[in-house]
Amino acid sequence: MGRESCFWPCESPSNCPDLREGEARARPWAFHPRLSGMPRIKGSGTMLRFLSRSWVLIFCLALLTIGGCSKKNTPVLDADGGSATPGSVAEFQTVVGDRIYFIVDQSNLTPEAQDTLMKQAEWLKKYSNVTVQIEGHADERGTREYNIALSARRATVTREYLVAQGVEPNRITTIAFGKERPVALCDAESCWSQNRRAVTVVTAGAVTQ
């Protein structure tokens, strides 16, 4: 029996005297009884390797495509670790910051307030359809008239800063509440400092959740 004949299935190496034991171990299929009637397809091993590599390549491309798509409109984390849709009111309030605070009896912007307003301006320029109203507030000390005037100045200086940063003036309105809407109630600085504020409220144009 010639060597070429041993490339066809046979049940035992003894039937293929020129098939070495190492070759028998390398091709165990050649001695399987159920495969004895099946011819060996030349080049099948190369084809299987090619198909396997092709499927791996397709799988990797699919993962890259899914990963790229998932980055679009990906929610950002808010201050509490939750997610906020880009361009939404929630993002403006928790990620950008919707309020600034003032020193007693003053309407000057602190460095911290300016930093927050710069973030607000960048966000408003990015989402150009958004309109806002700036609420001016004061703590409860002093007369109603005094606090209305003080909170109006705080709202105005906030608006002017945003306009100076490039936000269109017709997108910003102001309102003064004086001491009428406190967010903290106690007879101490810990509450008064929270009430001396200007809040930028989104009124229209934000992305819905």
Side-chain angles (χ1 to χ4, degrees):
M1 182 181 295
R3 184 177 183 82
E4 189 67 28
S5 64
C6 294
F7 279 45
W8 296 88
C10 49
E11 294 183 0
S12 170
S14 61
N15 294 334
C16 296
D18 61 341
L19 183 65
R20 294 192 299 272
E21 184 179 354
E23 293 179 301
R25 286 197 300 269
R27 295 199 298 274
W29 60 271
F31 307 102
H32 197 291
R34 296 189 177 214
L35 299 177
S36 59
M38 296 176 60
R40 173 71 177 239
I41 300 175
K42 188 175 182 180
S44 61
T46 302
M47 180 62 71
L48 288 174
R49 287 194 297 273
F50 174 77
L51 291 175
S52 299
R53 291 171 182 173
S54 298
W55 278 111
V56 170
L57 178 60
I58 293 172
F59 180 73
C60 292
L61 289 174
L63 288 178
L64 290 174
T65 302
I66 294 172
C69 293
S70 64
K71 291 181 180 179
K72 297 179 180 180
N73 297 324
T74 302
V76 295
L77 294 179
D78 59 24
D80 297 324
S83 61
T85 303
S88 65
V89 173
E91 183 193 34
F92 183 75
Q93 292 175 338
T94 59
V95 179
V96 177
D98 67 338
R99 62 196 60 200
I100 59 175
Y101 299 96
F102 295 87
I103 299 173
V104 179
D105 292 330
Q106 293 189 20
S107 57
N108 297 327
L109 296 174
T110 65
E112 293 78 13
Q114 292 180 33
D115 289 341
T116 299
L117 292 179
M118 287 181 68
K119 294 177 183 177
Q120 290 187 12
E122 291 301 318
W123 190 88
L124 290 170
K125 287 186 289 185
K126 182 176 181 180
Y127 301 102
S128 57
N129 291 328
V130 174
T131 58
V132 296
Q133 182 176 70
I134 299 173
E135 299 177 349
H137 298 270
D139 64 40
E140 64 268 33
R141 295 172 295 176
T143 64
R144 181 179 183 277
E145 292 75 14
Y146 173 82
N147 283 312
I148 286 289
L150 177 59
S151 62
R153 292 196 300 273
R154 288 171 174 169
T156 298
V157 73
T158 301
R159 179 180 183 274
E160 290 175 347
Y161 192 91
L162 291 176
V163 171
Q165 298 302 310
V167 182
E168 295 85 350
N170 60 353
R171 296 171 56 196
I172 310 172
T173 60
T174 62
I175 188 170
F177 286 112
K179 60 180 180 180
E180 305 302 323
R181 296 190 179 184
V183 294
L185 296 173
C186 70
D187 191 19
E189 177 61 23
S190 59
C191 292
W192 298 333
S193 62
Q194 296 180 61
N195 295 330
R196 299 190 300 265
R197 69 195 190 280
V199 183
T200 305
V201 180
V202 175
T203 55
V207 175
T208 56
Q209 298 282 18

